[in-house]
Amino acid sequence: MKNIVCFLLYISLFFCSCNGSKKLTNSKPSANQVGVHFVQANLLSEVLDQAAAENKMVFVDFYTTWCLPCKLMDEDVFSDREIGNFMNDHFISYKVDAERGNGPNLQQLFGVYAYPTLLFMDSNGKVVERKEGAAYHTELKAMANRALANEEI
């Protein structure tokens, strides 16, 4: 009986810790914000239009609220000042909750079945770099540099 109570307590704590929500920030961050700034948009076309207007590429992070690697990337990678400065200079970044809103449609469109899935695309929506799974600082920057090099071709 004691084991069952401990197990149920453990399970309830686990589910409570998995209910974190994503908070998107605007593309015009305040001076004290650091890290990657994700735009808020209902449609990917709005993000692509903004990227074209600013002569930038698009970075898309497909996530779910229950995805631990997604949360770790938020805490460790997307919050990093150096990564944020680099990404903000070259990309319009967009988070897509694969299970809510327009997320399921975009998930189908881009064949996303693992989380996180990271896409780098040109302002026309053509994917030039893709990764399923988490990418930490060095790998994310290398992917971004490859995307920038492929976009200029």
Side-chain angles (χ1 to χ4, degrees), residues 58-89:
V58 175
F59 168 65
V60 181
D61 171 29
F62 280 90
Y63 73 95
T64 63
T65 57
W66 48 262
C67 168
L68 182 58
C70 302
K71 292 178 183 189
L72 292 174
M73 283 195 71
D74 282 343
E75 292 174 14
D76 297 335
V77 180
F78 298 144
S79 63
D80 182 80
R81 181 181 303 273
E82 182 182 334
I83 291 291
N85 290 341
F86 178 79
M87 295 295 287
N88 298 335
D89 287 344

Side-chain angles (χ1 to χ4, degrees), residues 41-45 62 94 96-98 100-107:
N42 292 324
L43 301 173
L44 179 60
S45 61
F62 280 90
Y94 183 50
V96 176
D97 184 335
R100 290 181 176 78
N102 200 31
N105 295 331
L106 292 174
Q107 174 193 9

